[in-house]
Amino acid sequence: MVSEAKPAPTRPLPGAVGLSHLSAYDWEAADGVCGGSPHLHLVCTEAYVVTAGRGAVQTLSPDGYRDIPLGPGSLAWFTPGTVHRLVQGGGLRITVLMQNSGLPEAGDAVFTFPPEVLADPERYAAAATLPPGTGADTEAAARRRRDLAVEGYLALREAMTAGDSGPYRAFQQSAARLVRARVPAWRELWRAGALAAAERTGAQLDALESGEPAYLDDATAYRSEPSRLGGFGMCGRRDEYALPGTTLPYEDESARAVRRRCSSWTACSSGCRRPRR
């Protein structure tokens, strides 16, 4: 008898990575480039797997400014502290793999807003927040947010290409100050997700070595469908999955279902709030 895979995962994806699909914004910015909102992550490495179209990812790091071309089959990834801006070159669609599932949605993503905005946490939160849903008001707010991030980013890029990394370093420090208070909540998400996944592997190795791999009795398979299509993300329209360890950016029925299964909820990267249980 053949039955379908379990539709409601109780464990995160392998290694507790986050996964989403993204169509890069085609909105033109002040510099004539179409694309998303530049930002960085403080503790998460992010990867782009290009599934369609062409574009680029612009990065700022101690390596300097880079413009990395993207095409079908391309794989690009960047480590914590790297400012990245996804550029739409025509039909660009990517699958995003994110280390430490749940942390970026819990605030490990800081926009390259101008210094005066970064210096004021309330002003930053107001600029980063999007209204719920996928309607015209949310789209307009996402465009304003993108434009403000590009404004700050262009100043960082201009300084770096002129040989001055000072503004980029100052932005990193501002980003670290903004998220410092969230670190205890992040630590709990990490312990429940990525660390727990690694520890399970360690326990499985111990069981194999002892000759008693009883954990194999729990073998199973899962499947999942996107819980939201076309949400407004940092870099583009985002298709998301309601999986353990993932905090969705808007509260809806699928988000409430995830919350019932997950123990830690906090502020998401778009600025909206949820109670912690």
Side-chain angles (χ1 to χ4, degrees):
M1 179 179 179
V2 178
S3 61
E4 292 189 3
K6 294 182 179 180
T10 57
R11 288 187 178 178
L13 289 172
V17 300
L19 182 146
S20 61
H21 305 296
L22 195 71
S23 295
Y25 290 133
D26 58 4
W27 308 328
E28 186 173 332
D31 60 346
V33 173
C34 298
S37 307
H39 61 281
L40 60 64
H41 306 287
L42 279 301
V43 295
C44 294
T45 292
E46 183 175 12
Y48 292 163
V49 182
V50 180
T51 56
R54 297 196 174 274
V57 57
Q58 298 178 351
T59 64
L60 302 177
S61 71
D63 300 329
Y65 166 66
R66 298 177 65 190
D67 191 309
I68 302 170
L70 299 176
S74 295
L75 172 63
W77 67 99
F78 24 91
T79 60
T82 302
V83 172
H84 48 286
R85 178 196 193 188
L86 187 61
V87 173
Q88 176 63 270
L92 181 63
R93 184 167 174 81
I94 63 175
T95 293
V96 180
L97 302 176
M98 182 69 73
Q99 183 186 16
N100 300 319
S101 177
L103 263 64
E105 295 87 352
D108 182 19
V110 177
F111 294 100
T112 54
F113 293 156
E116 63 272 17
V117 179
L118 293 165
D120 184 340
E122 291 186 2
R123 188 175 175 187
Y124 177 89
T129 300
L130 297 183
T134 57
D137 289 346
T138 306
E139 179 175 358
R143 287 191 75 147
R144 289 193 299 271
R145 185 175 72 175
R146 192 285 307 268
D147 291 344
L148 189 62
V150 168
E151 178 184 339
Y153 165 79
L154 292 177
L156 299 179
R157 189 179 72 181
E158 182 179 3
M160 182 162 281
T161 55
D164 180 8
S165 64
Y168 161 75
R169 300 285 188 182
F171 167 67
Q172 286 184 318
Q173 293 301 312
S174 295
R177 285 192 295 270
L178 271 174
V179 305
R180 184 178 179 184
R182 299 183 179 187
V183 170
W186 291 2
R187 193 181 300 277
E188 292 306 308
L189 287 170
W190 166 71
R191 284 175 175 157
L195 180 60
E199 289 178 337
R200 278 195 296 272
T201 299
Q204 290 164 357
L205 290 171
D206 291 342
L208 284 174
E209 191 171 41
S210 71
E212 298 180 359
Y215 68 89
L216 295 176
D217 292 339
D218 296 327
T220 188
Y222 296 107
R223 67 170 177 82
S224 184
E225 301 291 336
S227 57
R228 183 190 306 279
L229 299 174
F232 288 97
M234 290 186 160
C235 299
R237 302 298 297 266
R238 188 169 180 250
D239 298 344
E240 303 148 0
Y241 294 84
L243 298 173
T246 299
T247 304
L248 298 181
Y250 310 121
E251 181 85 347
D252 65 359
E253 190 56 44
S254 61
R256 284 191 289 272
V258 175
R259 190 174 64 181
R260 286 192 291 268
R261 296 196 300 270
C262 300
S263 60
S264 297
W265 282 70
T266 183
C268 74
S269 58
S270 61
C272 44
R273 305 277 177 180
R274 295 171 181 78
R276 294 188 65 205
R277 298 176 67 182

